[in-house]
Amino acid sequence: MDLLLLEKTLLGLFAATLLAITVSKLRGKRFKLPPGPIPVPVFGNWLQVGDDLNHRNLTELAKKFGQILLLRMGQRNLVVVSSPNLAKDVLHTQGVEFGSRTRNVVFDIFTGKGQDMVFTVYGEHWRKMRRIMTVPFFTNKVVQQNRFGWEDEAGRVVEDVRKNPEAATDGMVLRRRLQLMMYNNMYRIMFDRRFESEEDPLFVKLKALNGERSRLAQSFEYNYGDFIPVLRPFLRGYLKVCKDVKERRLKLFKDYFVDERKKLGSRKSIDSNGKCAMDHILDAQNKGEINEDNVLYIVENINVAAIETTLWSIEWGVAELVNHPHIQNKLRNELDSVLGPGVQITEPDIEKLPYLQAVVKETLRLRMAIPLLVPHMNLHDAKLGGYDIPAESKILVNAWWLANNPDNWKNPEEFRPERFFEEESKVEANGNDFRYLPFGVGRRSCPGIILALPILGITLGRLVQNFDLLPPPGEPKIDTAEKAGQFSLQIMKHSIIVLKPRSF
Ligand code: HEM
């Protein structure tokens, strides 16, 4: 054995002994840990379970180890919760104890170590940010002020598709146009700004930087440095790329949007009805409640939390409607009979359209955009389901499985909006039932639900009113294979959709 190998072996043995001692301490004397696969030294369960901890793989593990299970990913504890009662405990009963978020070296970069709202720990800063963001983003007044904008954007999608004769024959990748619509929906709220076309250079730049940020943050590439801290120095290159993307992105938000709005505000006084979200946020900055970095991180949070999540849900809704023509027809009949053929749906109509609401709910159930919620974390040692949970564990609530477990739902694999009139008539998307939490529930639940539901209703409603939505020519169905990331459940292929205009 040469010296180098001997040195490596001794180091390995040393690390293994250290880990074995730590694990036995945790498992043994003080802690009664949740069940899970037996960890090996240094790596824990990482090599057994791999990187791809998506909702389906975690469901398989829950079937084996139970409704609460522990995985050791290197030095990190990961607790997976898979029953409505335990979800209630994490999100509601012990909402404070489990109300923090995990971060890692990469998220520390993108959030400036938690200067944002989505990824900050539960405490004073989070409370302040959530309060400051509520008036500009998360009230019914915001919906009433902005719904005309969303109706206008959905109308422009319909207009553009009608103008494109190929859409009715060869079809088009509708997602691209819907993405522009979602950016416009959110940038109108934030800055009273919109992008004219998919080719708008600012839109192209923004989309690319947001895409890079999502890819870098969600990638499994940096796990080794996160799970095994001694390997962190090898992440230097990766972290440098993250820093670069973060800086370019925040600079773009600042130079092209925040500063522009500031200039406009200093030229004329904007009355309270003409205010966009950024005017309120800048008021909070002027009062000294938050600093300039916080302002930029609010813009960053809305970019990651609002745009793609809603877009994925719209895309899934379209795919399910294409693949279930009888449901599409039933929805069209509802729209035609309640509103009159050709009368374009607006936000206040949604409450008169129960089948449309059921289609939205069923889409969010079967194709839950954030199937494991945003990971929660306990700052201190805690108890859950009769087990000890060591401080700073990452807690994943498998919300997708809660809503797709055949023990709790009738034929959950079927796309059947009717379930929300029949056996599930009392279930709402706001978390009134712990089997169905597409937006989470409790302190860290999604405040954007108040915007997401009407945007989904208006968009799907307008599309079905104005077009027959069909699969690509020669194919019976759209491919609905899933692409699941750490925080997301998206459709794998952005399919071509044929949109045949209806005439009225
Ligand atoms: C269909 C669309 C959407 C879905 C499915 C969705 C889902 C979620 C989920 C599951 C969470 C985490 C809940 C938890 O950890 O317990 C969340 C958090 C959040 N969402 Fe949404 N969301 C959507 C749209 C939006 C929109 C439109 C906005 C903003 C305008 C938004 C803003 C946020 C924020 C700020 C948080 C973090 C809350 C906190 O940590 O306190 N979301 N969302």
Side-chain angles (χ1 to χ4, degrees):
M1 194 185 279
D2 67 25
L3 267 178
L4 197 66
L5 192 60
L6 181 67
E7 195 183 317
K8 275 190 179 165
T9 315
L10 284 174
L11 258 177
L13 274 174
F14 177 65
T17 317
L18 261 185
L19 186 92
I21 292 168
T22 320
V23 170
S24 79
K25 263 196 180 157
L26 288 176
R27 283 214 176 269
K29 280 183 215 139
R30 276 197 311 127
F31 283 119
K32 181 186 168 202
L33 295 174
I38 310 267
V40 300
V42 182
F43 298 101
N45 305 118
W46 187 19
L47 302 179
Q48 291 147 285
V49 296
D51 274 326
D52 194 4
L53 295 178
N54 67 49
H55 56 290
R56 289 189 190 270
N57 292 340
L58 292 182
T59 298
E60 290 314 307
L61 285 172
K63 285 180 189 165
K64 212 161 150 190
F65 294 104
Q67 298 177 337
I68 174 166
L69 66 96
L70 173 74
L71 298 175
R72 283 199 57 90
M73 306 301 280
Q75 293 201 357
R76 294 218 182 241
N77 291 314
L78 185 92
V79 174
V80 186
V81 163
S82 310
S83 80
N85 279 341
L86 288 167
K88 182 176 179 189
D89 211 352
V90 170
L91 304 171
H92 176 72
T93 319
Q94 299 200 67
V96 172
E97 288 83 344
F98 291 104
S100 286
R101 301 279 192 210
T102 41
R103 284 199 311 267
N104 53 43
V105 276
V106 169
F107 277 84
D108 272 351
I109 292 173
F110 286 121
T111 66
K113 296 209 166 125
Q115 294 189 64
D116 67 329
M117 190 264 248
V118 180
F119 293 101
T120 199
V121 294
Y122 184 76
E124 266 319 302
H125 174 72
W126 171 81
R127 249 191 300 278
K128 184 170 69 182
M129 292 290 269
R130 189 130 172 169
R131 175 175 56 75
I132 288 170
M133 287 172 75
T134 298
V135 169
F137 290 107
F138 306 127
T139 65
N140 193 43
K141 191 169 170 203
V142 177
V143 175
Q144 293 317 316
Q145 275 176 349
N146 287 282
R147 69 155 176 106
F148 303 102
W150 308 334
E151 290 156 13
D152 175 50
E153 292 299 334
R156 288 174 192 251
V157 172
V158 170
E159 211 176 294
D160 283 357
V161 175
R162 276 187 185 274
K163 276 196 293 210
N164 172 7
E166 267 191 16
T169 52
D170 300 350
M172 64 183 281
V173 181
L174 182 62
R175 177 194 212 263
R176 293 199 194 119
R177 183 61 188 82
L178 291 172
Q179 188 177 36
L180 174 67
M181 180 198 81
M182 267 318 296
Y183 269 85
N184 281 341
N185 282 345
M186 294 317 299
Y187 273 72
R188 282 174 91 148
I189 300 178
M190 268 195 291
F191 298 107
D192 196 15
R193 289 270 295 269
R194 64 183 305 280
F195 305 99
E196 213 36 67
S197 76
E198 289 167 51
E199 288 77 41
D200 184 323
L202 193 52
F203 172 64
V204 172
K205 217 165 158 183
L206 191 58
K207 212 173 54 165
L209 279 171
N210 276 343
E212 258 312 84
R213 185 261 187 233
S214 291
R215 189 189 66 74
L216 289 164
Q218 294 223 23
S219 166
F220 299 114
E221 260 179 75
Y222 65 85
N223 272 355
Y224 67 91
D226 182 29
F227 297 162
I228 303 173
V230 289
L231 298 180
R232 211 157 280 169
F234 296 103
L235 274 185
R236 217 168 282 147
Y238 193 88
L239 299 184
K240 194 169 166 298
V241 178
C242 293
K243 274 191 198 117
D244 175 58
V245 168
K246 173 240 171 119
E247 270 153 29
R248 282 193 292 137
R249 193 162 157 264
L250 292 195
K251 186 163 163 34
L252 186 84
F253 294 152
K254 178 171 155 43
D255 292 353
Y256 287 88
F257 299 98
V258 177
D259 285 355
E260 288 295 308
R261 195 68 206 173
K262 262 188 203 161
K263 270 188 231 155
L264 205 70
S266 63
R267 279 204 301 272
K268 57 174 189 179
S269 70
I270 301 166
D271 76 61
S272 69
N273 285 331
K275 273 186 172 178
C276 65
M278 189 44 59
D279 299 329
H280 292 278
I281 305 291
L282 291 172
D283 284 351
Q285 187 193 344
N286 290 337
K287 281 191 231 151
E289 293 182 300
I290 48 174
N291 62 30
E292 178 158 357
D293 284 345
N294 299 138
V295 173
L296 293 177
Y297 287 113
I298 288 176
V299 180
E300 118 77 24
N301 275 181
I302 296 293
N303 272 269
V304 287
I307 297 176
E308 292 289 324
T309 43
T310 314
L311 180 64
W312 300 330
S313 305
I314 298 172
E315 209 182 359
W316 277 121
V318 169
E320 293 296 354
L321 289 168
V322 170
N323 286 353
H324 298 88
H326 62 289
I327 295 176
Q328 191 185 142
N329 279 334
K330 200 167 161 184
L331 175 57
R332 190 171 294 115
N333 288 341
E334 180 184 71
L335 288 156
D336 282 358
S337 64
V338 174
L339 306 177
V343 179
Q344 303 294 306
I345 176 178
T346 61
E347 184 274 333
D349 297 325
I350 295 174
E351 64 170 359
K352 296 180 275 180
L353 297 161
Y355 198 66
L356 174 64
Q357 292 174 39
V359 166
V360 169
K361 280 193 207 171
E362 183 67 340
T363 303
L364 294 169
R365 184 193 67 79
L366 186 63
R367 309 297 192 173
M368 203 172 276
I370 314 196
L372 303 169
L373 308 184
V374 178
H376 284 239
M377 190 258 273
N378 51 317
L379 277 173
H380 309 288
D381 291 344
K383 292 244 182 232
L384 187 62
Y387 295 101
D388 291 303
I389 311 295
E392 301 196 6
S393 296
K394 179 170 176 172
I395 317 286
L396 295 182
V397 175
N398 193 343
W400 177 84
W401 180 232
L402 303 183
N404 284 273
N405 182 343
D407 291 345
N408 298 329
W409 296 79
K410 198 167 133 189
N411 300 331
E413 68 293 342
E414 250 179 65
F415 184 79
R416 185 171 56 90
E418 286 74 9
R419 74 176 75 244
F420 289 103
F421 299 127
E422 295 165 12
E423 73 276 14
E424 306 295 355
S425 63
K426 297 204 169 58
V427 178
E428 299 296 340
N430 64 6
N432 72 341
D433 185 316
F434 285 90
R435 293 170 307 148
Y436 182 60
L437 304 172
F439 296 94
V441 67
R443 290 167 180 75
R444 297 311 288 257
S445 67
C446 177
I449 181 175
I450 194 165
L451 314 182
L453 291 178
I455 292 175
L456 277 161
I458 292 167
T459 310
L460 291 176
R462 291 267 175 136
L463 288 171
V464 170
Q465 273 188 308
N466 288 287
F467 303 102
D468 279 327
L469 305 171
L470 302 162
E475 288 177 36
K477 278 187 183 269
I478 285 180
D479 179 354
T480 53
E482 296 174 346
K483 178 177 149 199
Q486 289 195 45
F487 296 109
S488 61
L489 168 53
Q490 311 174 42
I491 195 164
M492 176 103 74
K493 291 194 190 121
H494 301 311
S495 178
I496 287 179
I497 315 278
V498 172
L499 297 107
K500 285 205 190 312
R502 295 177 71 210
S503 44
F504 300 105

